[in-house]
Amino acid sequence: MTAPRYGDPGPDDPGRTDRDSGDPGRIDAVRDLLRRSAYSDAGISAIGVEPGLGVRSPDIPILLRALEPVEPLATLVRMFLLGQDVEYSRLRSLVAADAEALAEAGLIRVDGDRAVPALRLTPWRGLILGHDPDPGGALWDSHVSGPTPAADTLLQLVVPDGGTALDVGTGCGLLALVVAPGVERVVATDVNPAALRFSALNVRLNDVANVETRAGSLFEPVSDQQFDLIVSNPPFVISPEFELVFRHSAYPRDEISREVVRSAAAHLAEGGFAHVLVNWVQPPGGAWLEVLRGWLDGTGCDAVCMLHGVEDPLSYAVRWNAREQHLRLDGYPETLDRWLGHFRSQSIEALGTGAVVLRRRSGANWIHGFELSGRAQGNAGGQIRAIVAAQDYMSRNPGDTDVLSTAFSLAAPHRLNQALVTKAGEYVVEPATIVLEEGLGAPVEVEPDLIPVLLRLDGSQLLRNIVAEVAEATGQDPVGLTGQALGLLRELLGRGFIVPGAIVP
């Protein structure tokens, strides 16, 4: 028996649109059923299964045995999280007329006395997201994925604060749905008809009124419209393949990432922010930021660029084909050879991964970059805004005297970690590390002599007065301490740990 796919248009209706999948009125009944049954992160976790970012095929036998028989939730989990067909008569005995609603909404197919799920439903960030399953074999070209680590990474950077928003390459609509409560309206675009059907379903399934889906490639559906917020997790993977719409594109090398960044800049309203995940070809011996700087010149935007890492071709190919390594080992060596041959033919020796945040602003623009070296915690949107404010300050080229005449405040709750290490039988104080309690994986090292300076950055004193007080209290050389403090302040500004206050002549 072949499992149905919710996103498939069907051979007799190739023109089917995102508004044609199932009966929309019955989707409302499905939404009510899921809510009554506690089909959510908390509800599903309580009966023995952690939804996470969705379920992978190898985990299903384990999870089926861990699932506690709390009904009707357990049966809904079996179908829509674990992908198991169930007896239709049993389903009807558990949920009554809502069994028909599931069929009429297109979420299941009734085959004899079996109810066969047509999709997966994953709870994520307070939403229920419909998407394609992770099958035991190859993915199909129009496959629509559910929540991913990449989506989580992107959303950590975003602060929805009103106005209009655009989600480019929306997939199942997850980015659009997450930002929707914080904006007036969202336009979600995708070239994949199956993705648009899923996103339309998820808009209705989550009772969201301000998201509109549009068909087309990248920014084509919005013409010359401008937005206050743009988010995009495009098909940025650099590879010899282009079949998987959600992962690959027909653009050569890293042109898809460059195109999305530059087009996002062109579609931003004054003061608007864009957030894009990108991959790029890293030239041998070159600085990673110079590649992105070439994309950003002339866009009319300031930019915060973050490096997640640079990989050699083999590491990159292994990472993006990990699924095949686990599920289709017989074809895996050939896939690696094909990818590596492609990289050699393109003279690609290294590949970069990261994110770009744009802010449209008239006047001379700045570009700031840094490498992420730790684990992100929670939402980093506030830290990104602090970095932007700090770079606005630094773009005015303040001299040492100006910086010393400024009051600075630590921007957010943080943690200062320090250790004593024995060396030659004596304890030695190591440099401390400051990390935000919620933010990016971007710690800053603080020398022991500068900790008293750091602890006084509460916005109530000018930096020069803080340095003078610490030098007097500790007996340190004021000139040397001043130079150290200036270096630390510039590093903290670059990572969004502090924000400048008033500048006093």
Side-chain angles (χ1 to χ4, degrees):
M1 177 171 55
T2 302
R5 297 176 190 164
Y6 179 88
D8 280 357
D12 58 343
D13 190 7
R16 187 171 167 189
T17 70
D18 57 327
R19 301 182 186 275
D20 298 331
S21 295
D23 183 338
R26 305 308 278 159
I27 292 172
D28 295 344
V30 171
R31 179 179 66 244
D32 293 341
L33 167 64
L34 296 175
R35 287 178 178 173
R36 291 196 313 273
S37 305
Y39 194 96
S40 64
D41 272 313
I44 296 172
S45 297
I47 63 169
V49 174
E50 293 292 337
L53 294 177
V55 173
R56 303 295 183 186
S57 296
D59 300 324
I60 291 174
I62 302 169
L63 296 176
L64 282 170
R65 286 156 179 80
L67 185 63
E68 298 175 13
V70 177
E71 297 294 3
L73 180 57
T75 292
L76 294 174
V77 170
R78 282 177 178 274
M79 289 195 300
F80 296 119
L81 195 65
L82 306 183
Q84 306 297 297
D85 60 290
V86 302
E87 291 182 4
Y88 184 63
S89 57
R90 174 169 172 74
L91 179 63
R92 290 197 61 178
S93 70
L94 292 170
V95 301
D98 287 324
E100 295 178 4
L102 290 168
E104 292 169 4
L107 274 61
I108 64 172
R109 184 185 72 200
V110 180
D111 189 341
D113 191 38
R114 307 302 292 178
V116 185
L119 76 173
R120 299 293 181 270
L121 296 174
T122 300
W124 184 70
R125 288 179 173 252
L127 302 166
I128 301 294
L129 295 172
H131 58 88
D132 278 324
D134 177 50
L139 302 177
W140 44 94
D141 295 354
S142 61
H143 186 274
V144 180
S145 64
T148 62
D152 257 337
T153 297
L154 183 64
L155 286 169
Q156 285 177 326
L157 309 176
V158 178
V159 180
D161 51 6
T164 57
L166 173 66
D167 176 11
V168 179
T170 191
C172 72
L174 52 84
L175 298 181
L177 289 166
V178 171
V179 304
V183 298
E184 295 171 11
R185 68 182 182 90
V186 187
V187 175
T189 73
D190 207 293
V191 72
N192 182 2
L196 293 172
R197 284 188 282 276
F198 271 114
S199 58
L201 165 70
N202 290 329
V203 166
R204 187 106 192 190
L205 199 57
N206 290 281
D207 199 19
V208 176
N210 63 335
V211 174
E212 173 195 353
T213 59
R214 295 185 190 175
S217 178
L218 300 179
F219 293 83
E220 288 176 0
V222 295
S223 185
D224 58 354
Q225 288 180 258
Q226 292 188 321
F227 298 85
D228 302 294
L229 173 65
I230 297 175
V231 293
S232 183
N233 179 15
F236 53 67
V237 179
I238 300 167
S239 84
E241 301 169 358
F242 56 86
E243 291 85 1
L244 292 177
V245 178
F246 77 94
R247 200 171 81 166
H248 307 130
S249 78
Y251 286 80
R253 296 170 68 87
D254 52 17
E255 280 301 305
I256 182 68
S257 292
R258 180 183 183 277
E259 174 66 22
V260 171
V261 167
R262 293 191 65 85
S263 294
H267 285 82
L268 276 178
E270 183 72 11
F273 282 83
H275 308 74
V276 184
L277 296 183
V278 293
N279 280 193
W280 64 88
V281 175
Q282 180 62 45
W288 68 270
L289 186 57
E290 290 309 304
V291 177
L292 303 187
R293 192 183 298 278
W295 298 358
L296 295 162
D297 286 345
T299 59
C301 289
D302 303 312
V304 178
C305 304
M306 288 153 280
L307 172 69
H308 289 287
V310 175
E311 297 170 284
D312 61 81
L314 177 59
S315 298
Y316 188 87
V318 167
R319 180 163 65 89
W320 283 109
N321 290 287
R323 184 179 184 280
E324 183 169 345
Q325 181 184 11
H326 289 99
L327 298 178
R328 298 178 64 236
L329 187 57
D330 55 334
Y332 181 62
E334 180 183 342
T335 297
L336 289 183
D337 289 342
R338 185 169 66 257
W339 281 54
L340 294 175
H342 173 74
F343 293 145
R344 284 193 297 271
S345 71
Q346 294 290 312
S347 300
I348 296 174
E349 298 182 21
L351 302 103
T353 299
V356 176
V357 177
L358 305 172
R359 193 264 310 257
R360 174 161 285 282
R361 180 177 62 87
S362 300
N365 297 118
W366 49 259
I367 297 172
H368 175 64
F370 61 95
E371 182 174 354
L372 302 175
S373 56
R375 189 167 62 91
Q377 297 278 358
N379 190 277
Q383 185 179 4
I384 293 294
R385 295 300 175 92
I387 291 172
V388 170
Q391 292 307 307
D392 284 345
Y393 167 77
M394 295 301 294
S395 70
R396 297 192 287 270
N397 297 311
D400 289 349
T401 301
D402 299 315
V403 176
L404 290 166
S405 299
T406 304
F408 296 93
S409 301
L410 283 163
H414 56 278
R415 183 184 300 272
L416 190 65
N417 300 316
Q418 190 174 35
L420 297 175
V421 178
T422 56
K423 293 183 179 179
E426 296 183 357
Y427 282 104
V428 177
V429 179
E430 287 198 328
T433 300
I434 183 172
V435 294
L436 294 182
E437 287 286 84
E438 186 174 38
L440 298 168
V444 173
E445 193 172 273
V446 183
E447 293 294 333
D449 292 346
L450 292 172
I451 292 176
V453 174
L454 180 72
L455 297 178
R456 287 170 168 80
L457 298 177
D458 61 4
S460 66
Q461 290 181 282
L462 304 182
L463 179 60
R464 64 185 177 202
N465 294 340
I466 293 174
V467 173
E469 289 179 7
V470 171
E472 183 177 359
T474 61
Q476 296 184 67
D477 172 35
V479 176
L481 186 62
T482 296
Q484 286 183 285
L486 286 168
L488 174 63
L489 262 290
R490 294 180 188 278
E491 181 72 11
L492 292 171
L493 284 167
R495 299 299 178 97
F497 281 74
I498 59 173
V499 291
I503 301 176
V504 180

